[in-house]
Amino acid sequence: MPGTSSGFAPFEYIEEETNELVGFDVDLAVDAIERAGYEAGDWVDIEFDSLIPSLTEGDIDLIAAAMTITDDRDEQIDFTDPYYEADQAVLVREDDIDPAEFADLEGRPVGAQSGTTGEVTVEEELVSPGLIDGDAARSYGNYVFAVNDLESGNVDAVVVDTPVAETFAGDRPVRVAFVFETGERYGLGLRDGDDRVGDINDALTEIQEDGTYDDLVSEYFE
Ligand code: GLN
């Protein structure tokens, strides 16, 4: 049973008309699972923060949630080969401040989704250097709530993965002020020691080689 955390378009989101979970990760993961010879089953849609605990406890069997492969996560779970690369973007209100670097956000409240690399970036680039207080680093259960708070003025910036920032900028009165290069890479997550990871890696390679991957990119990113 695969798990994800929707509200992260174009990777995983609920399509308004059909109320269905869709997205690049959803299609990619189902294809990879089936090509590897397993059944995908029903999706579990939960908060990003709960994905790794749910996987290790056995409530889900695979994570497909634009999850960056980090050392800390890699100690708890296994990842497939990377399937996508991203950076962090700083979103601001369309007609508001125009920061070019983190120093320009001094003293301002900034949001990110709990447990993400965006949150780590806020911590490392703003809180640790003393540019903002710990309580100005606002944590949200979902990026949709963070961007709502940006629109309403409760935070002045949101730090989020580049492709998702661009999607928010296309749909709402917010824009990308600058990109902070992290070069992070997404992997599908499996339980530590799950031997299906090899089959799924083979399937991912096949998906890339036969052009399916490029079709998904055009479907969801262009
Ligand atoms: N790629 C980021 C991370 O892994 C954000 C993922 C997400 O919010 N779904 O932390």
Side-chain angles (χ1 to χ4, degrees), residues 17-31:
E17 280 163 29
T18 58
N19 212 24
E20 257 178 62
L21 175 73
V22 295
F24 181 85
D25 282 345
V26 177
D27 286 0
L28 180 76
V30 169
D31 197 4

Side-chain angles (χ1 to χ4, degrees), residues 71-142:
D71 290 344
D72 184 42
R73 292 173 182 159
D74 215 5
E75 279 170 18
Q76 306 170 60
I77 64 172
D78 278 351
F79 282 101
T80 61
D81 295 333
Y83 66 85
Y84 199 88
E85 191 170 321
D87 295 305
Q88 291 297 312
V90 175
L91 272 181
V92 296
R93 283 179 292 282
E94 211 156 53
D95 50 3
D96 197 39
I97 52 168
D98 189 17
E101 56 180 352
F102 283 110
D104 298 334
L105 292 170
E106 187 170 2
R108 295 185 178 274
V110 178
Q113 179 175 286
S114 176
T116 59
T117 50
E119 188 178 58
V120 171
T121 303
V122 170
E123 191 60 39
E124 290 180 353
E125 302 302 321
L126 287 164
V127 179
S128 296
L131 288 166
I132 68 170
D133 290 340
D135 58 9
R138 307 271 164 79
S139 196
Y140 295 86
N142 190 285

Side-chain angles (χ1 to χ4, degrees), residues 8 12 48 65-68 73 113 115-117 143 161 184 186:
F8 206 67
E12 38 269 337
F48 187 76
M67 185 176 275
T68 302
R73 292 173 182 159
Q113 179 175 286
T116 59
T117 50
Y143 268 117
D161 300 34
E184 52 202 276
Y186 301 165

Side-chain angles (χ1 to χ4, degrees), residues 184-207:
E184 52 202 276
R185 303 192 302 166
Y186 301 165
L188 302 175
L190 286 98
R191 253 183 308 284
D192 209 13
D194 188 330
D195 57 16
R196 291 176 287 191
V197 72
D199 295 336
I200 292 181
N201 276 333
D202 291 345
L204 286 173
T205 305
E206 199 182 286
I207 287 167

